[in-house]
Amino acid sequence: MRSHLSFCRLLASASLLGLAGTAMAQEDAPTAPAQDNAAKDVSSADIVVTGSRIIRNGSASPTPLTTVSTEALSAAAPAGTISDALNNLPVFSGSRNQFSNPGSNATGVQGGNGAANVLNLRNLGSYRTLVLFDGHRIPPTLYNSTVDVDLIPQELISRVDVVTGGVSAVYGSDAVSGVVNYVLNRNFDGFRAHAEAGISQRGDAATRDIGGAFGFKVGERGHFEASVQHREYDGILNRAYDRSWDNLAAMQGAGTAANPYYLATDVRLATYTFGGYISNGAQRGKRFDESGNIVPFVAGTASGSSCCQIGGDGAYQNSSMSSPSRGTQAFARFDYDLTDDIHVYVQGAANIKRNSSYTGWNQLTGLTFSSSNAFLSPAAQAALAGAGTFTMNEILSGAPRIEASSKTNQYYGNVGIEGSLADFKWNATYTHGYSRLQTTVDNMPNNQKLAAALDAVVSPTTGQIVCQASLTNPSAYGDCVPLNLFGANSASSAALDYVLGKAVFITHTIQDSADVSISGPVFDTWAGPVNVALSGEWRKQRFNAASSVLPTDLADCTGLRYNCTSATVLYPTTFPNSDTVSQSVKEAAIEVEIPLLKDVAFAKSLTLNGAARYTDYSTSGHYTTWKVGGVWEVNDQIKLRGTASRDIRAPTLYDLYQPVTTVYGNYTDTTKTPNVTAYLPSINMGNPNLTAEVGKTYTAGIVLKPDFVPGLTLTADYYHTVVSNAISVIQGFNAAVQKGCVDSGGSSIYCSLIQRDAAGNATAYYIQPYNIAKVKTWGIDGEADYATHIGDHPLNLRLMVNYQPHIYYEQPGIPTIDQGGAGWGLNGLMPSPSVTLAGFINFKPSDTVSIDLFERYRNKFRRSGVASHVFADGQEYVKDFATTNLTVTLNTGAGWKMADSALYFSVTNLFDAKPPLSGYYSGTTSAGASYEFSDDPTGRAFMIGFRIKG
């Protein structure tokens, strides 16, 4: 019923939803309004359409192109960043941000910062979306070569162009699913500033944002502009507590007909408690209460998963719901006209940013204790006296949670010269980018110190409780502080300080690039000039890494009786060092625009566009990409367009040479009956034998501007993309991978990703990329824009929709995954609703008041993209979800005697919609990880701000 009401509400408002065609124009990108007076002086000839080095008019682009002004983006996400707003558009799906369940490891999916703002077109992977800044490739931020777009200087961005089709032939590798180009306002004069603050209805997720920009002429030929912005977000720190609807939900069951998956609440671990669960010994199956007494363990209801129970005394985990962040970005640019025909510039940007998140409490498994441990009460010692030792599991809730933080220092510099020669335009640029990413995992146990601190005895000389190792090996453990784990809050702060430590992983990514291009008409035909663009590019990228805790750092067990062996790693999460690795790329390209017809009976115009590029990678070989397309403008009311392209994504340095990283977790061996879940290492590594992916994309579209409805534009574009030789990160702990190994009789490469002992028990899982997959998707983008007036008051409407029913991931030996219209995915796949709508309305009831309304809707989708998964009746789908944002802007210039100022107030998620409960079918529980990452869990939030221009 709620699903029906949500959709009805959306349909009822569809006639009102939209945004000004002048604010966001898919067809006429160059006509998007300037944000500042100086920009109005830019002629259409100066505007380069994203996706082409020739086309100067967005309506002539055969590739679907959407232009979004910064004003429109502010209306879509009034309390967020430009990236937050972009992710509200239907063409984006599966992007990572502060809600994307950031982890504490350094896997390729996260690139060292799971809370970075990373854009993803059509959920084909952020690494297949190319991000540009004013037409130039941005050096990567993360060490998997993706870009945290918070680097972009938001104060001086005039618009964002989104090309939803393959354009590798124009821009090179990575532009498989499309391009996102942030277009700079190069002519800003005057100043602008803003300050805003917001908070959720529940008193968390507070934001603070302040920034400003200024620009001025330098003499007759120069111009300078600069901006700075500082943004803080406090996050939502507890999944288990901070939202009442997020009630320890998790998927349970095995996904089979006999034991189907189902969504349960109050899910707890079956063999862990907050005070200690005795897993072996004389009192096996009992627990320690708050006072350290041994008491019966009240089991919950069987959940269908061996790890978990529903209710009872079992413990649970508690990670962050959204990640706090602090960031400052700065930008400066100087332009100078050497002559009337030659222009030079230099610009630089910096992004200093920190993300942090809690990944949960320490999960201690199979700890061995002496039955005479000094912290045990006499009664407990007596009860345990039947054996010399016992083992215990505990979720260490009395200690600080494991905290993962990512500190990014990124710097970007660009110099260029451009000019004209007769009818030709030419340019040359050089770019240098540097990114330092420090990943810190804090509050982890040092396993050597932990082993020493847990073995507590009474000193024969002082009568005090001390570490046994401090008596037998005082030189190594003289500072040891004994640790009491018998009871949830029994550990002293001094003992925790002694035991807990951190791992620091620092990576440097450096990129240098240079490119040149020249374009112009080479001759005229009956239909107009034939334009040609030639371009060349060189770039070199380098990567290195250093770690404070290496996988080879093992505990020294000298003098330690328990919990330490020759194979015990010093910390549960380790990172390796990596010497500098590099790759260089050389490219050459040509693009041609050929007008065929003009002003004939059946064609106002007919134009063909083609491009080809040769790319040579020092690491993975050479490739040719191409694109052909055409635009047939039948008349002023009907336009047809289409493209076909061959695109590539070359493996990154991280894909090829990533240093080996080890992360421990609960993984289930599904080849055993019953399934066996164990706390084991997953080992990530690169693959130097990778080659480039090859994508084929076809698009066909129609644009209608019916003259019987002035101001209305309707657009529909079909797209079809197939990526062959796709690089897929294969996870050994994945149930489908385990089955693929078994089905192959041990001959599959999947088997090499599972390490087993002589008895056949899994001892470790490996994660490694291979050119083994094929990715296929298709869909339709639709859009309706309408600009009109109610009386003398402008009303601007826009409705955007994406229908993407399937995203197939095919791999030999395992079932095909269809992530289209599915939620939680394997291999880091993100949710992909099959229908997403975004609607906008902008209405100005008076000269001083403006009202913006934004509505986002996604349809219901399957919980899993794996066809073989079986769900209980009524559990197959996650319900649909819709949110509404409202912004009211008051022009205060006249009343406050300020030339151009405004006070604005916003409410996001106006109706306080709650994300439908969901859960990952992982066989383990993570308390509160119970909503899809496409849904914002914040709830209703408020923001007030003030801006001024002069």
Side-chain angles (χ1 to χ4, degrees), residues 301-353:
T301 303
S303 69
S305 296
S306 60
C307 65
C308 305
Q309 298 171 346
I310 300 173
D313 289 338
Y316 50 85
Q317 275 293 2
N318 180 28
S319 60
S320 298
M321 179 171 278
S322 64
S323 300
S325 64
R326 303 287 185 274
T328 301
Q329 58 183 203
F331 175 81
R333 177 183 172 103
F334 177 70
D335 292 82
Y336 192 79
D337 293 324
L338 293 177
T339 70
D340 291 343
D341 298 318
I342 301 177
H343 178 82
V344 296
Y345 68 89
V346 58
Q347 63 185 18
N351 181 33
I352 312 299
K353 180 182 178 183

Side-chain angles (χ1 to χ4, degrees), residues 192-216:
R192 63 190 302 174
H194 78 274
E196 61 188 43
I199 195 168
S200 80
Q201 179 174 284
R202 293 158 181 84
D204 53 18
T207 61
R208 296 165 293 280
D209 191 332
I210 186 169
F214 64 91
F216 54 85

Side-chain angles (χ1 to χ4, degrees), residues 122 124 719 777-780 802-807 820-821 833-835:
R122 308 209 188 286
L124 292 181
Y719 57 88
T777 190
W778 64 270
I780 298 173
N802 177 48
Y803 173 62
Q804 187 177 7
H806 303 290
I807 308 175
S834 59
V835 177

Side-chain angles (χ1 to χ4, degrees), residues 133 188 217 296 486 550 620 632 639 751 812 843 876 879:
F133 177 37
F188 180 77
K217 291 183 177 180
F486 307 126
L550 301 174
S620 52
W632 176 17
K639 184 187 301 179
C751 299
F843 180 59
E876 300 92 341
K879 295 180 180 179

Side-chain angles (χ1 to χ4, degrees), residues 14 23 59 61 69 93 150-151 229 300 453 461 465 557 577-578 584 624 634 650 654 772 825 836 856:
S59 63
S61 173
S69 72
S93 178
D150 283 344
L151 169 72
Q229 183 175 9
T461 57
I465 297 178
C557 300
N577 292 329
S578 173
S584 59
T624 300
V634 180
Y654 190 79
I772 199 173
T836 307
R856 187 177 189 273

Side-chain angles (χ1 to χ4, degrees), residues 745-777:
S747 62
S748 169
I749 61 169
Y750 302 146
C751 299
S752 65
L753 301 176
I754 308 170
Q755 177 179 298
R756 297 185 182 277
D757 60 19
N761 299 312
T763 56
Y765 296 97
Y766 290 86
I767 302 174
Q768 192 171 20
Y770 288 91
N771 289 104
I772 199 173
K774 177 178 285 187
V775 184
K776 298 189 294 186
T777 190

Side-chain angles (χ1 to χ4, degrees), residues 436-455:
R436 180 186 187 273
L437 176 59
Q438 177 176 310
T439 302
T440 302
V441 184
D442 212 344
N443 300 323
M444 294 188 303
N446 178 308
N447 287 324
Q448 181 177 322
K449 290 185 175 181
L450 178 65
L454 291 179
D455 192 2

